[in-house]
């Protein structure tokens, strides 16, 4: 695989060549219609971008020539320089030089820009209307220009989506063929199918790779946004960006855009204190905001951390009680993580005033829903007086994900690994009936356990989620999942392996049933239901409350 | 007029003549229809006829994509009772629904010699997706002049299937066939989300 630097270089060259083509087109237009403001503005824009891009990547000669040309055109725009024949020639030469320099990056030839031409450019820029100075004749070295097409193609994301779906279908069929070939025991078929396996795997990664973009393409928009919000809120904020070159699926980044904007706004308006308040607390005047990304094998972790005042746990509890989300008694015994989970209730807001940038009734639930929709996880940590950190764990790709397969009542299910914490086997005696639910003690942490068969298959009126006698067998396999800062153990009948699955969305009319995130086909051709952990958790809470009211 | 009746009778007999494989393969049956010259110019409709409860129902063939022996169906917990589950038909995973359950039609006792485990699935093509409808007996194909379908039967208010779903009543010989508009059933079927 190419290094990232090489990739950047290629993108720069392709883009620059495109600019070069456009410049040639526009300057030819301009030669015929010297008063065309629009074309002039476009040339100006192209040169400006070329200057900035080449400077950023370190091609100073290109940047220098672009700068000179830009200056010349700005003079033309301001009518300080006439678009005369002599000037036109120099400008054409200058643009040709740009093209030359760009092509030379590619061929690794060290090319010095023609000093005569550079001087000519300086002359027209600096000597304004003084035409007394002779423009030296530039020796034309590129009379036989090569026509070349760009090495880069732009592609609609829709086409990549379609390609990804096709790869998904192919993988399902591949698994099926693999499983059939194992059953048939034909050596030749086995060889072919294992080759097919390798090719589809390569294909899958190539298509996934083609969809990746740098997280920096989103992160780099934030310094300006933060500056604007901070100015409006009269706060001083220092934004630190980390990991801009981490790559992520373009559609996932697109879905995250609004959420990240929302969290950043919140952090500046509600999280960070004013300079005066910070000084009183002996913190630096300037608030610190860190937006970071890092990736492990399968996921990308985006974190937004502020060193502001932290969440007010008491206020959250009080608001939760006022909104009847919990009784005052029960609120007392909550852990901090459980208190913070209220933040993601629909419309939950403790903000008293609406400002220009946040508190418009759009709560964190919107952020949570966006992350749920792509199968990610949202976590929040906060310490009073020290600050708040939002962590978003996102899959690198939408279509293919690691999942844990299991069986409940002879139906196959899968849960995406991003939601699973651990898998344990516990003896029935280690489960305790507490109130309406079962509790298990996991290394000192008490977690709620639910028998999936009871939750999914028992008539809702007869459901008894806290009844151990409904369990089958002595040893219980438990998949511990985590959602919205809380863990729940799901008891399954049989536990199978981990596997990469291609999730197909539920077809109509079943797409409205949110308990399932989709379906997948196993190698055997059997349909496997993909459980949606957020919806399953919600359904459990809902049933548990219904039990209490009976 | 007499001629017309004759044609109708002739087509009505067709399902009985058709061997089972031909009835299974709807497009083949259609081909047969095209090959057979119709003496009367009147527009014909091609129906797929099946039984729900003790009555005959039909869907226009344009709405039916294919007829299969019902494939292995994976039950989906916490879905409406008429959803039998999802099945894999040629790589497409589609919902399988039971119209007897959907319309609360009392199932008729199975005829002698029919295997209760063998049912048939009509794959209905809707806008952008497919859905399977299970029936117990082999569906049959039937050609009918369009005039044989009574578009507005007066007794509809007594029927427990909302009249919107009924396109009309067809009479052939001694049989009464209720013609359903599947697209209307599908668009009106609101499979709601779970509470909470």
């Amino acid at each position: 695989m190419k290094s990232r630097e090489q990739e950047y270089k290629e993108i720069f060259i392709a883009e620059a060549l495109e600019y070069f083509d456009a410049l040639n087109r526009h300057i030819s237009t301009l030669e015929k219609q010297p008063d065309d403001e629009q074309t002039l503005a476009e040339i100006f824009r192209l040169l400006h971008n070329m200057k900035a891009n080449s400077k950023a990547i370190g091609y100073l000669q290109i940047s220098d020539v672009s700068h000179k040309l830009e200056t010349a055109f700005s003079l033309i725009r301001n009518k300080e320089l006439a678009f005369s024949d002599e000037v036109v020639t120099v400008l054409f030469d200058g643009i040709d030089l740009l093209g030359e320099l760009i092509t030379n990056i590619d061929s690794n030839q060290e090319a010095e820009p023609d000093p005569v031409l550079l001087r000519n450019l300086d002359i027209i820029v600096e000597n304004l209307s003084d035409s007394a100075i002779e423009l030296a004749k530039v020796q034309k070295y590129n009379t036989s220009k090569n026509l070349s097409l760009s090495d880069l193609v732009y592609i609609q994301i829709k086409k990549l989506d379609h390609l990804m779906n096709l790869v998904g279908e192919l993988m399902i069929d591949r698994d099926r063929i693999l499983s059939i070939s194992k059953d048939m025991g034909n050596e030749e078929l086995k060889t072919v199918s294992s080759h097919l396996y390798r090719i589809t795997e390569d294909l899958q990664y190539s298509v996934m790779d083609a969809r990746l973009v740098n997280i920096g393409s989103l992160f780099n928009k934030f310094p300006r946004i933060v500056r604007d919000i901070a100015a409006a809120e009269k706060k001083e904020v220092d934004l630190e960006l980390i990991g801009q070159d981490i790559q992520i699926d373009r559609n996932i980044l697109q879905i995250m855009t609004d959420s990240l904007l929302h969290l950043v706004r919140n952090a500046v308006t509600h999280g960070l204190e004013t300079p005066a308040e910070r000084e009183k607390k002996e913190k630096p005047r300037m608030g610190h905001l860190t937006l970071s990304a890092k990736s492990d094998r399968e996921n990308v972790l985006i974190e937004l951390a502020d060193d502001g005042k932290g969440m007010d746990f008491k206020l959250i509890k009080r608001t939760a009680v006022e909104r009847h989300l919990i009784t005052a008694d029960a609120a007392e015994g909550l852990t901090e993580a459980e208190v913070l989970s209220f933040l993601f209730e629909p419309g939950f807001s403790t903000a008293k005033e609406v400002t220009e940038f946040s508190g418009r009734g759009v709560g964190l639930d919107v952020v949570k829903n966006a992350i749920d929709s792509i199968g990610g996880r949202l976590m929040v940590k906060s310490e009073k007086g020290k600050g708040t950190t939002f962590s978003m764990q996102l899959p690198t790709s939408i279509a293919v994900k690691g999942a844990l397969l299991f069986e409940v009542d002879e139906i196959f299910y899968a849960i995406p690994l991003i939601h699973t914490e651990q898998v344990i086997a516990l003896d029935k005696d280690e489960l305790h009936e507490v109130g309406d639910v079962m509790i298990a003690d996991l290394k000192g942490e008490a977690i709620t356990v639910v028998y999936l068969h009871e939750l999914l298959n028992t008539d809702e009126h007869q459901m008894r989620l806290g009844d151990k006698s409904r369990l089958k067998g002595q040893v219980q396999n438990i998949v511990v999942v985590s959602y919205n800062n809380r863990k729940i153990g799901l008891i399954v009948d049989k536990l199978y392996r981990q596997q990469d699955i291609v999730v197909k969305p539920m077809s109509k009319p079943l797409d409205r049933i949110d308990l399932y995130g989709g379906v997948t086909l196993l190698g055997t051709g059997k349909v496997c239901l993909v459980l949606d952990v957020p919806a399953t958790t919600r359904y459990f809470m809902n049933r548990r409350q219904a039990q209490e009211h009976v | 007029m007499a001629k017309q009746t004759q044609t109708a009778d002739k087509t009505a007999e067709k399902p009985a003549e058709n061997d089972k494989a031909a009835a299974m393969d709807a497009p083949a049956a259609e081909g047969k229809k095209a090959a057979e010259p119709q003496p009367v110019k009147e527009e014909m409709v091609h129906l797929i006829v099946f039984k729900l409860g003790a009555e005959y129902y039909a869907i226009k063939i344009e709405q039916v994509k294919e007829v299969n022996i019902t494939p292995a169906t994976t039950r989906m917990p916490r879905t409406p009772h008429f959803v039998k589950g999802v099945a894999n038909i040629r790589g497409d995973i589609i919902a399988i629904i039971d119209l007897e359950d959907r319309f609360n039609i009392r199932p008729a006792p199975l005829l002698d010699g029919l295997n209760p485990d063998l049912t048939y699935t009509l794959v209905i093509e809707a806008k952008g997706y497919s859905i399977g409808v299970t029936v117990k007996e082999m569906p049959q194909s039937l050609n009918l002049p369009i005039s044989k379908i009574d578009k507005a039967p007066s007794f509809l208010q007594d029927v427990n299937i909302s009249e919107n779903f009924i396109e009309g009543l067809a009479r052939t010989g001694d049989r009464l066939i209720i013609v359903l508009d599947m697209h209307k059933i599908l668009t009106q079927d609101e499979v709601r989300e779970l509470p909470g």
Side-chain angles (χ1 to χ4, degrees):
Chain A
M1 191 166 272
K2 274 174 237 147
S3 74
R4 194 147 301 163
E5 233 163 89
Q6 179 68 23
E7 206 169 310
Y8 284 156
K9 199 177 100 180
E10 279 172 15
I11 293 173
F12 169 78
I13 293 173
E15 232 173 40
L17 283 175
E18 214 164 281
Y19 280 14
F20 170 65
D21 287 342
L23 279 172
N24 270 323
R25 207 170 57 238
H26 290 313
I27 196 170
S28 307
T29 314
L30 204 62
E31 195 180 14
K32 289 176 205 122
Q33 302 156 353
D35 296 326
D36 190 340
E37 295 272 334
Q38 229 176 337
T39 311
L40 203 51
E42 185 60 20
I43 291 177
F44 203 65
R45 188 187 68 85
L46 290 168
L47 283 170
H48 188 80
N49 285 353
M50 179 102 89
K51 181 177 79 172
N53 291 350
S54 53
K55 198 165 188 176
I57 202 163
Y59 298 127
L60 297 179
Q61 286 179 345
I62 299 177
S63 145
D64 194 41
V65 175
S66 310
H67 174 72
K68 288 195 165 93
L69 285 167
E70 189 192 351
T71 317
F73 277 103
S74 79
L75 291 175
I76 293 169
R77 193 158 67 163
N78 297 338
K79 308 266 188 264
E80 289 170 36
L81 181 66
F83 201 66
S84 63
D85 287 350
E86 274 180 332
V87 170
V88 168
T89 317
V90 174
L91 290 176
F92 266 111
D93 286 345
I95 285 169
D96 282 345
L97 176 62
L98 267 186
E100 202 72 13
L101 288 171
I102 295 162
T103 355
N104 281 347
I105 305 173
D106 212 11
S107 57
N108 289 323
Q109 279 172 18
E110 280 291 319
E112 278 297 313
D114 188 334
V116 185
L117 174 52
L118 285 185
R119 205 176 59 91
N120 283 353
L121 274 174
D122 286 338
I123 291 169
I124 60 165
V125 170
E126 279 154 27
N127 291 284
L128 299 183
S129 52
D130 184 1
S131 55
I133 296 176
E134 274 290 302
L135 290 168
K137 196 90 176 135
V138 175
Q139 190 203 344
K140 275 283 191 184
Y141 42 71
N142 52 354
T143 40
S144 59
K145 264 192 241 174
N146 291 324
L147 291 177
S148 63
L149 291 175
S150 167
D151 285 341
L152 214 65
V153 289
Y154 288 99
I155 184 162
Q156 281 174 312
I157 194 80
K158 230 169 55 191
K159 289 186 182 170
L160 282 179
D161 285 347
H162 182 60
L163 208 53
M164 192 78 224
N165 287 340
L166 288 178
V167 171
E169 302 273 328
L170 189 63
M171 285 172 68
I172 288 170
D173 284 352
R174 169 200 74 187
D175 290 348
R176 182 104 180 83
I177 287 173
L178 216 60
S179 139
I180 292 171
S181 80
K182 272 191 194 130
D183 293 347
M184 285 175 61
N186 180 323
E187 283 308 313
E188 207 176 337
L189 185 58
K190 264 188 204 164
T191 320
V192 174
S193 57
S194 71
H195 187 227
L196 177 68
Y197 187 91
R198 275 206 319 279
I199 296 175
T200 39
E201 193 138 272
D202 273 1
L203 183 63
Q204 179 205 333
Y205 283 109
S206 305
V207 175
M208 271 161 63
D209 189 58
R211 301 169 51 94
L212 296 180
V213 294
N214 279 333
I215 238 167
S217 56
L218 177 60
F219 275 17
N220 291 337
K221 295 185 196 298
F222 280 103
R224 175 64 200 272
I225 294 167
V226 166
R227 186 225 148 255
D228 286 356
I229 305 170
E233 295 281 324
K234 299 195 172 52
K235 287 178 181 172
E236 290 175 24
V237 185
D238 168 34
L239 173 68
E240 187 185 355
L241 299 177
I242 300 170
Q244 289 108 303
D245 58 349
I246 297 288
Q247 297 199 305
I248 190 166
D249 185 279
R250 184 260 173 204
N251 281 8
I252 291 180
L253 196 61
Q254 174 72 48
I255 292 168
M256 286 307 300
T257 307
D258 287 345
S259 298
L260 218 48
L261 186 60
H262 189 80
L263 290 176
V264 167
R265 276 175 184 157
N266 268 352
V268 179
T269 44
H270 304 308
L272 296 172
E273 310 93 331
T274 59
E277 280 170 339
R278 291 181 67 91
E279 277 179 342
K280 222 186 284 172
K281 290 184 193 164
E282 294 180 348
K283 284 180 172 182
R285 262 183 80 84
M286 190 172 271
H288 195 79
L289 206 57
T290 315
L291 187 54
S292 67
K294 56 185 172 205
S295 66
D296 60 13
R297 283 162 295 119
E298 293 214 320
N299 304 317
V300 173
L301 184 72
I302 299 181
E303 272 190 346
L304 178 71
D306 69 57
D307 67 344
K309 51 180 175 274
M311 294 291 174
D312 187 337
F313 289 91
K314 277 192 195 135
L315 181 61
I316 296 171
K317 275 192 205 173
R318 200 162 63 228
T319 315
V321 173
E322 276 166 18
R323 295 200 46 198
H324 305 291
L325 295 170
I326 192 166
T327 61
D329 289 347
E332 282 310 304
L334 291 178
T335 64
E336 291 200 338
E338 282 168 323
V339 174
L340 288 177
S341 69
F342 284 120
L343 292 174
F344 305 114
E345 289 292 331
F348 193 95
S349 171
T350 59
K352 290 191 184 65
E353 55 192 307
V354 173
T355 69
E356 186 193 342
F357 288 106
S358 37
R360 275 180 283 192
V362 187
L364 285 170
D365 60 313
V366 177
V367 175
K368 192 189 62 163
N369 290 344
I371 294 176
D372 284 351
S373 76
I374 47 176
R377 279 178 64 174
L378 173 62
M379 289 149 287
V380 54
K381 264 184 263 164
S382 187
E383 200 176 335
K384 193 156 189 186
K386 294 270 178 66
T388 305
T389 302
F390 287 93
S391 310
M392 288 147 273
Q393 202 180 350
L394 310 171
T396 26
S397 164
I398 295 182
V400 183
K401 43 187 106 179
L404 186 67
L405 303 192
F406 58 87
E407 201 181 300
V408 177
D409 195 34
E410 296 177 346
I411 301 176
F412 287 97
Y413 291 92
I415 287 183
L417 288 180
I418 203 164
H419 286 292
T420 59
E421 290 283 327
Q422 56 173 320
V423 175
I424 40 160
L426 284 183
D427 196 276
K428 204 169 166 181
D429 296 337
E430 293 175 87
L431 302 175
H432 308 282
E433 296 176 357
V434 181
D436 293 317
V437 291
M438 288 182 280
I439 300 286
D441 188 56
L442 290 189
K443 292 182 200 131
E445 187 185 1
I447 64 158
T448 310
V449 177
V450 58
Y451 184 29
L452 263 186
H453 180 46
E454 186 75 10
L455 185 70
L456 293 174
N457 297 318
T458 307
D459 184 279
E460 288 190 351
H461 301 290
Q462 261 121 52
M463 204 186 279
R464 289 168 61 93
L465 295 168
D467 190 347
K468 260 169 70 175
S469 68
R470 304 235 165 168
L471 294 171
K472 281 178 268 180
Q474 193 62 26
V475 178
Q476 304 297 326
N477 286 314
I478 304 175
V479 180
V480 181
V481 297
S482 142
Y483 173 64
N484 198 1
N485 279 9
R486 59 186 308 158
K487 288 181 189 168
I488 291 181
L490 306 173
I491 301 177
V492 303
D493 289 349
K494 274 183 210 157
L495 205 54
Y496 295 108
R497 61 203 176 276
Q498 283 183 13
Q499 189 182 314
D500 276 350
I501 59 166
V502 180
V503 183
K504 290 179 156 219
M506 224 51 165
S507 70
K508 279 185 181 178
L510 300 176
D511 56 336
R512 302 277 296 273
I513 296 173
D514 59 3
L515 199 52
Y516 306 100
V519 284
T520 189
L521 277 175
L522 301 179
T524 54
K526 279 217 167 83
V527 177
C528 172
L529 306 173
V530 182
L531 265 192
D532 183 78
V533 170
T536 309
T537 316
R538 276 199 302 275
Y539 182 59
F540 166 68
M541 309 285 265
N542 183 284
R543 289 331 300 168
R544 187 183 159 181
Q545 272 166 13
Q547 269 186 351
E548 277 171 18
H549 292 296
V550 172
Chain B
M1 188 63 204
K3 231 177 176 182
Q4 262 185 34
T5 326
Q6 203 185 353
T7 330
D9 285 342
K10 199 175 156 196
T11 42
E13 279 164 28
K14 251 179 87 180
E17 288 166 15
N18 276 345
D19 77 4
K20 290 196 167 189
M24 286 273 298
D25 199 350
E30 201 176 27
K32 204 170 175 179
K33 170 203 157 194
E36 200 171 282
Q38 296 295 336
V40 184
K41 277 192 183 134
E42 196 194 348
E43 211 185 322
M44 304 291 285
V45 277
H46 195 164
L47 299 173
I48 298 294
V49 182
F50 52 90
K51 252 172 113 176
L52 295 178
E55 299 298 332
Y56 286 97
Y57 289 78
I59 305 173
K60 281 190 185 160
I61 197 159
E62 299 86 48
Q63 299 182 349
V64 182
K65 200 169 156 193
E66 57 182 301
V67 182
N68 285 308
I69 290 174
T70 304
T73 305
T74 302
R75 196 167 52 81
M76 279 182 83
R78 304 291 175 226
T79 50
H81 65 288
F82 59 86
V83 176
K84 295 293 124 188
V86 283
N88 170 14
I89 293 187
R90 272 188 271 288
D92 272 344
I93 297 168
I94 65 168
I96 305 288
I97 62 169
D98 185 328
L99 289 182
E100 285 182 359
D101 284 349
R102 172 70 181 79
F103 297 125
N104 293 317
I105 297 168
R106 189 166 18 88
L110 263 189
L111 292 174
D112 286 344
L114 273 186
N115 180 354
D117 292 333
L118 182 71
T119 62
Y120 300 89
T121 293
L122 298 159
V123 181
I124 312 290
E125 181 123 55
K127 265 192 195 124
Y129 68 100
S130 303
I131 193 166
V133 170
T134 58
V135 293
K136 295 202 179 82
E137 286 176 36
M138 168 103 57
Q140 299 177 330
S141 112
L142 171 69
N143 261 315
L144 211 61
I146 210 155
S147 63
K148 286 283 157 190
I149 297 179
D150 184 357
K151 287 268 182 198
S154 55
F155 56 89
L156 269 181
Q157 57 263 42
D158 302 328
V159 187
N160 64 3
I161 299 171
S162 164
E163 59 182 291
N164 281 330
F165 304 155
I166 298 186
E167 201 165 317
L169 277 178
R171 286 185 195 82
T172 66
D174 56 347
R175 270 202 300 186
L176 193 74
I177 299 172
I178 303 157
V179 183
L180 296 172
D181 184 343
M182 277 312 292
H183 289 175
K184 282 199 176 130
I185 295 179
L186 293 180
T187 45
Q188 296 200 12
D189 253 338
E190 277 188 24
V191 177
R192 283 191 302 113
E193 289 169 56
L194 285 161

